[in-house]
């Protein structure tokens, strides 16, 4: 697989997911950016700051900031200052936000199952291991770029 094929597959999956999640977005009055933030928080316990979202998910700071502001305004997220360090603000999905997040996770899971359709359990595991290595290599490369 060439690098361009990997990127094309990732972009195509993003488009398919955006299409499949659009009824939830419309019903809940959310943008795809807001949903990405909500899903990140639901899927990554322990990674609960805007900085985590920027670093791990790779979204832009301004995009995350705007999405958080809107989600807080809609009552789906709340900000909780850290007890240890007041500079850190944790983001928590509210009781109102969890049903939306769970519905989006269900769409995400259906998309994931469809994506891996036809793969054997062994092929799926091999792909998981390969992707972990690619992610680790990418993180290492990003660290090297910051040093330059």
């Amino acid at each position: 697989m060439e690098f361009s094929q990997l990127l094309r597959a990732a972009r195509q999956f993003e488009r398919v997911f955006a299409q499949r999640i659009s009824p939830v977005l419309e019903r809940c009055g959310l943008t795809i950016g807001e949903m990405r933030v909500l899903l990140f928080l639901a899927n990554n316990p322990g990674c609960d700051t805007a900085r985590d979202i920027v670093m791990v998910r790779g979204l832009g700071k301004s995009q995350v900031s705007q999405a958080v502001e809107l989600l807080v305004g809609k009552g789906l997220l709340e900000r909780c200052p850290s007890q240890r360090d007041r500079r850190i603000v944790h983001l928590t999905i509210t009781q109102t936000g969890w049903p939306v997040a769970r519905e989006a996770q269900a769409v995400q899971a259906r998309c994931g199952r469809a994506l891996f359709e036809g793969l054997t359990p062994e092929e799926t595991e091999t792909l998981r291991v390969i992707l972990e290595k690619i992610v680790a290599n990418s993180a290492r490369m990003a660290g090297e770029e910051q040093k330059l």
Side-chain angles (χ1 to χ4, degrees):
M1 173 181 269
E2 291 182 22
F3 183 69
S4 62
Q5 289 176 300
L6 184 62
L7 289 176
R8 187 171 49 241
R11 283 193 301 269
Q12 190 171 15
F13 181 75
E14 280 284 331
R15 281 193 301 273
V16 168
F17 177 73
Q19 288 173 339
R20 301 234 172 124
I21 198 71
S22 66
V24 178
L25 298 176
E26 289 173 21
R27 190 172 34 72
C28 298
L30 298 176
T31 66
I32 191 71
E34 292 167 318
M35 185 58 77
R36 285 183 181 127
V37 168
L38 193 62
L39 273 170
F40 177 87
L41 293 168
N43 292 336
N44 297 280
C47 291
D48 63 354
T49 67
R51 186 177 197 282
D52 291 334
I53 299 166
V54 169
M55 298 299 291
V56 176
R57 182 63 169 83
L59 300 175
K61 287 180 185 180
S62 62
Q63 182 183 6
V64 171
S65 178
Q66 181 180 19
V68 166
E69 191 65 35
L70 292 169
L71 288 166
V72 167
K74 293 173 183 178
L76 302 177
L77 280 186
E78 58 185 26
R79 293 182 183 97
C80 305
S82 171
Q83 297 298 321
R84 290 186 290 194
D85 186 342
R86 289 290 190 187
R87 296 172 296 177
I88 298 172
V89 176
H90 297 282
L91 303 170
T92 305
I93 300 174
T94 64
Q95 285 185 327
T96 304
W98 271 112
V100 177
R102 286 189 190 100
E103 186 176 0
Q105 284 176 313
V107 172
Q108 202 175 39
R110 285 192 299 273
C111 286
R113 283 191 301 275
L115 186 65
F116 293 108
E117 190 174 305
L119 295 180
T120 66
E122 295 79 18
E123 290 169 329
T124 302
E125 178 61 16
T126 299
L127 179 59
R128 185 191 63 75
V129 169
I130 291 168
L131 288 174
E132 282 180 1
K133 289 179 181 181
I134 290 171
V135 168
N137 289 342
S138 178
R140 180 183 45 77
M141 290 168 61
E144 288 173 2
E145 285 179 12
Q146 291 176 356
K147 293 177 185 176
L148 297 178

